[in-house]
Amino acid sequence: MRRFLVDRASIENVNVVQQEAELEPPPNVVNEFNPNEIVRDPGHNELSNILQRKDLNIVNAMELVDVVKARLGTMRESGWNNFFADVQGFCVAKSILVPNMDDEIPVRGRSRAEGRTITNLHHYRAEIFYVAIDKICVEMDHRFSEGSNIILDCFSCLDPKNSFSKFDVDKLARLADIYHADFSDDDRGTIRDQLETYVLQVRRNASFSTCEDVQSLAMKMVQTEKHLVFPLVYKLIELALILPVSTASVGRAFSAMKIIKSKLRNKINDVWFNDLMVCYTEREIFKSLDDIDIIRTFTPKKSRKGHLPRNFI
């Protein structure tokens, strides 16, 4: 049997093909293995879904990142037994012979003449299960680096839930230093006082008690004209709302560029290309528009050689 990987945290399709008898394979064979049938994803689906949403809730994303990291750590420390039980159940259901974990096999990458052996348990647990989880943890640390976590943690202090219970003046003032290009020296000197005044006023204002996230907070700021009274605080809120656009939506935009600007349309000008990009990335909105309404809107804007049928006007 060729090496196969069963990984609860990184769900991948693994095919193990039985060789002919002369290759002397071990007595367990998996023709078509799908880990989705036996394992559950430790929070990765939820994290992936929330990071791809355009209305990304930073607080929820930050909490899910910590939860996924914690679950991966717990799985590595004490998740092998439950995982192996799931694999055994899958193999029994599919009539697959499970190898004896106490049997010894040659060390991979070493000459058989050396006679060095390890148990199946060590191979599958230490060399596959642990290694796969460690690689996922390294990738998550790379994707959610310390600098990114600091920014997300600071922006999470804008959360208006529970009467702004997470509000932290020091962390929010630190954002002015991180985004130094958007704040002048005078702004960085006065933002702390403005934040302290802001949080006292919004906590006393009953209309802000209905805010559930940063989006509703921004709308309420404009409705009550508090964005004019606290312009620096509102700029922080704007940066928090722009942040999702600079994460998930950017990936979608680059994917759309490869589809729109192909080899046959490589000379398209920037204005036309930008318009096509908007139509593609926001295609769900454009699907809801009626073609006839679009034609009627653009027809009177410019005189044209051709005339539309009367039922379009």
Side-chain angles (χ1 to χ4, degrees), residues 37-227:
E37 300 183 23
I38 64 170
V39 296
R40 292 185 178 179
D41 184 28
H44 278 126
N45 286 335
E46 294 83 359
L47 180 61
S48 177
N49 291 335
I50 195 172
L51 289 177
Q52 293 181 35
R53 291 173 53 186
K54 294 184 179 180
D55 56 340
L56 171 63
N57 189 314
I58 298 174
V59 179
N60 290 340
M62 190 65 189
E63 292 175 351
L64 271 178
V65 169
D66 295 336
V67 168
V68 170
K69 287 183 177 180
R71 290 194 63 187
L72 286 171
T74 302
M75 183 187 302
R76 192 186 190 284
E77 295 297 328
S78 58
W80 165 255
N81 291 333
N82 293 334
F83 174 71
F84 184 61
D86 291 339
V87 174
Q88 284 182 312
F90 175 86
C91 292
V92 170
K94 301 296 182 179
S95 301
I96 301 169
L97 184 61
V98 179
N100 187 348
M101 292 293 106
D102 295 329
D103 289 348
E104 294 188 351
I105 59 175
V107 177
R108 295 177 182 273
R110 295 282 185 177
S111 173
R112 290 176 179 266
E114 296 182 7
R116 298 180 59 180
T117 60
I118 56 174
T119 62
N120 278 322
L121 177 63
H122 177 83
H123 170 64
Y124 288 111
R125 182 173 63 180
E127 296 184 354
I128 297 180
F129 183 74
Y130 289 163
V131 171
I133 294 180
D134 290 342
K135 287 183 177 180
I136 294 173
C137 291
V138 170
E139 181 65 20
M140 287 198 66
D141 290 337
H142 174 71
R143 293 298 182 100
F144 302 97
S145 61
E146 182 179 358
S148 300
N149 289 339
I150 290 175
I151 294 176
L152 290 174
D153 184 50
C154 292
F155 277 125
S156 66
C157 296
L158 292 170
D159 186 21
K161 292 181 180 178
N162 300 324
S163 187
F164 296 84
S165 59
K166 295 184 178 180
F167 197 88
D168 191 314
V169 174
D170 294 331
K171 291 182 178 180
L172 291 173
R174 186 178 181 181
L175 286 173
D177 296 327
I178 296 175
Y179 292 92
H180 56 86
D182 296 290
F183 295 90
S184 64
D185 293 336
D186 293 337
D187 292 339
R188 289 192 289 271
T190 60
I191 191 171
R192 188 178 296 273
D193 292 335
Q194 190 172 125
L195 286 168
E196 293 176 352
T197 305
Y198 160 79
V199 69
L200 289 175
Q201 188 163 358
V202 294
R203 282 174 176 171
R204 295 178 180 179
N205 195 326
S207 61
F208 283 87
S209 61
T210 59
C211 297
E212 295 293 333
D213 48 32
V214 180
Q215 290 90 333
S216 59
L217 175 62
M219 295 175 62
K220 186 63 66 175
M221 289 276 290
V222 175
Q223 292 173 1
T224 58
E225 297 186 351
K226 289 291 190 296
H227 67 296

Side-chain angles (χ1 to χ4, degrees), residues 273-288:
F273 181 62
N274 182 68
D275 294 340
L276 292 176
M277 285 285 293
V278 172
C279 293
Y280 185 85
T281 54
E282 303 295 342
R283 56 188 177 275
E284 296 301 326
I285 297 177
F286 283 90
K287 285 180 181 179
S288 62

